[in-house]
Amino acid sequence: MGWQQLNTWVRMTEPDTGRVCGPGHAVVTSTNGPVNGQAISVVIEDEKDIAKYKGKLSGKIVLLGPMRDVPSR
């Protein structure tokens, strides 16, 4: 049997509270409880983009890919 993602929970706590929707990455292991950190949006389309982020992602929560507009209800 391979792996199975049961759930992913992400909640923004600052500057306001809210849910962050999206799946976790397949190769990321679980944590022993809540994880806090600065979130950073990263868009990587080619190798030049990788160099732009070198040394800047340690300790951060990485949101990979362009952000989508989410309509308010």
Side-chain angles (χ1 to χ4, degrees):
M1 176 128 188
W3 63 273
Q4 181 180 12
Q5 180 177 336
L6 298 176
N7 58 35
T8 300
W9 298 89
V10 180
R11 185 149 184 88
M12 180 175 69
T13 58
E14 291 181 27
D16 200 356
T17 60
R19 291 184 303 151
V20 178
C21 300
H25 195 278
V27 296
V28 175
T29 60
S30 62
T31 65
N32 292 324
V35 174
N36 294 306
Q38 177 187 7
I40 183 169
S41 174
V42 173
V43 178
I44 297 176
E45 295 179 356
D46 57 40
E47 287 192 37
K48 289 182 269 181
D49 293 331
I50 294 172
K52 183 168 52 174
Y53 296 109
K54 186 173 182 172
K56 298 179 182 177
L57 303 178
S58 179
K60 302 221 178 354
I61 297 169
V62 178
L63 305 173
L64 186 57
M67 296 294 105
R68 298 181 308 192
D69 288 333
V70 178
S72 59
R73 295 183 191 194

